[in-house]
Amino acid sequence: MTRLTVVMLTVFVDSFGFGIVIPFLPLYASSLGASGLEVGLLLATYSLAQMIVAPRWGRLSDRVGRKPIMVIAAAGTCASFVVLGIGDNLALIFGGRALLGCFGVGYSTAQAWVADTTPIEERSRVLALIGASHSVGFALGPALGAVGVMTGGLSAPFWFAAGCAAVSALLAATLLPAAVPQPRTSTAPRLRDFSGNRSFAICLAVSFGLTYAFSNIEATFSLFTSDELAFTPTENGLFFVLIGLCAAATQVLVTRRLARRFPEHICVILGLVLLGAGAASIPFANSGASLIAPMVVLAAGFAITTPSLTAWVSRSAPADRQGEALGLSMSAAAMARIAGPGVGGLMYDELGHG
């Protein structure tokens, strides 16, 4: 088994666990009495914790290597899902989400591993493969989550996700070879060290805007389909399967080809246009069938944008600071997720569902 295959498998299992939970977390919170605003704040709690710790994890992975951080992140994620699984009140659910955010750096560390081991001209295409693994896991997870909900209630997906995180930690610990960290060419890296890098600043701004928009949808999609289209939890899960499969297919069949022909920033622009078109079409859906096309376009746009943006960030950063740069990009995205879900939930409560 090649090193890239091991990383892809680890990312797949990790995202599979997250996919199990995402469609059902807003519904679980609602069952405990949460309002739309509180659902948004619950999602934002994860991102607040992630925003604070991600650059620090990134700097640590630059020093000690990617493997230890991937193992720790997966083990911490397992513990966080256990807390969510036993949660029977909103305070415990908020605490579990915060803990989950503190360890939510496995994917960015895997991306940094790709940056360490892949020539820069090949980076977008390899990152697309990592992204496809992430998308397939995210796609298949909701299907198992739906089965769990039907058989064990709304808390069952958290226990399935905890098991997936434990498997991910085991895979990283036993199969992923240790990598020698890049030698440092400078000391005491901080955000200010990147402040004069215009390309990197643009990447952070795009990461923030992209995630802000997508987190609005993430926070309210299940509520919208339940209230406006009378979807069951199972049907919500199936639509998340659709998003993940479309994203994976796009990354394998489209994004990798685009990366050969166009620079990263052009691919990012194309992806953002598609994502915006899909998102703008969602409120006009009046049935499950009419929702399919907007979700396909949305998924395709996201699948083109994310690996291209990651490759752009990587190209803009020094070789010995790949982990920190990707951690800062994750922090920008996490900052957007703090504002996005809360604003989305509030707008859902105050402005309507359609």
Side-chain angles (χ1 to χ4, degrees):
M1 188 179 293
T2 66
R3 292 182 300 171
L4 178 59
T5 302
V6 173
V7 172
M8 290 173 63
L9 185 59
T10 303
V11 167
F12 167 79
V13 174
D14 188 57
S15 64
F16 185 78
F18 275 91
I20 290 172
V21 168
I22 286 296
F24 310 106
L25 181 61
L27 302 176
Y28 186 52
S30 294
S31 74
L32 296 176
S35 66
L37 174 59
E38 287 171 325
V39 169
L41 292 175
L42 178 63
L43 297 177
T45 299
Y46 171 93
S47 302
L48 176 61
Q50 189 181 62
M51 180 189 71
I52 295 170
V53 304
R56 292 167 173 80
W57 281 119
R59 287 196 293 270
L60 183 60
S61 77
D62 285 337
R63 292 199 300 269
V64 305
R66 314 304 178 193
K67 177 177 177 175
I69 305 305
M70 292 178 69
V71 174
I72 293 170
T77 296
C78 176
S80 304
F81 280 130
V82 169
V83 172
L84 289 168
I86 64 176
D88 57 0
N89 59 73
L90 284 178
L92 199 54
I93 297 301
F94 270 91
R97 283 290 288 177
L99 186 63
L100 192 62
C102 288
F103 291 100
V105 294
Y107 188 37
S108 65
T109 307
Q111 292 173 325
W113 182 91
V114 170
D116 290 342
T117 59
T118 308
I120 194 166
E121 63 273 8
E122 296 289 325
R123 207 162 286 170
S124 291
R125 293 193 285 276
V126 178
L127 285 168
L129 288 176
I130 296 292
S133 300
H134 185 272
S135 297
V136 171
F138 188 80
L140 297 181
L144 181 58
V147 173
V149 168
M150 289 188 292
T151 58
L154 283 171
S155 64
F158 299 118
W159 295 105
F160 288 154
C164 289
V167 171
S168 181
L170 184 63
L171 287 172
T174 59
L175 297 181
L176 187 65
V180 178
Q182 289 279 350
R184 280 214 169 259
T185 58
S186 52
T187 59
R190 294 293 186 269
L191 176 59
R192 63 176 176 267
D193 297 331
F194 293 98
S195 60
N197 188 328
R198 181 174 178 271
S199 178
F200 187 77
I202 292 173
C203 290
L204 292 185
V206 172
S207 181
F208 179 90
L210 168 68
T211 310
Y212 178 85
F214 201 78
S215 63
N216 268 267
I217 299 171
E218 184 180 67
T220 57
F221 180 78
S222 294
L223 302 176
F224 168 76
T225 55
S226 177
D227 291 341
E228 293 292 320
L229 305 180
F231 273 23
T232 66
T234 300
E235 289 170 326
N236 270 318
L238 291 175
F239 259 87
F240 275 87
V241 171
L242 174 67
I243 293 173
L245 291 179
C246 288
T250 301
Q251 285 169 328
V252 172
L253 301 175
V254 179
T255 305
R256 298 183 72 209
R257 288 177 169 82
L258 289 174
R260 291 190 181 98
R261 296 173 60 91
F262 303 105
E264 290 93 349
H265 69 280
I266 297 297
C267 295
V268 167
I269 292 170
L270 173 61
L272 289 174
V273 169
L274 290 175
L275 196 150
S281 303
I282 291 174
F284 298 101
N286 54 19
S287 67
S290 63
L291 188 60
I292 292 175
M295 297 308 293
V296 168
V297 175
L298 179 81
F302 196 75
I304 292 172
T305 303
T306 48
S308 303
L309 181 59
T310 301
W312 192 6
V313 169
S314 179
R315 183 185 289 272
S316 302
D320 64 334
R321 296 194 183 175
Q322 292 293 309
E324 183 190 7
L326 291 167
L328 288 170
S329 179
M330 177 172 281
S331 273
M335 191 183 302
R337 287 194 191 96
I338 294 170
V343 172
L346 182 62
M347 292 175 65
Y348 187 86
D349 285 339
E350 300 297 330
L351 301 181
H353 309 159

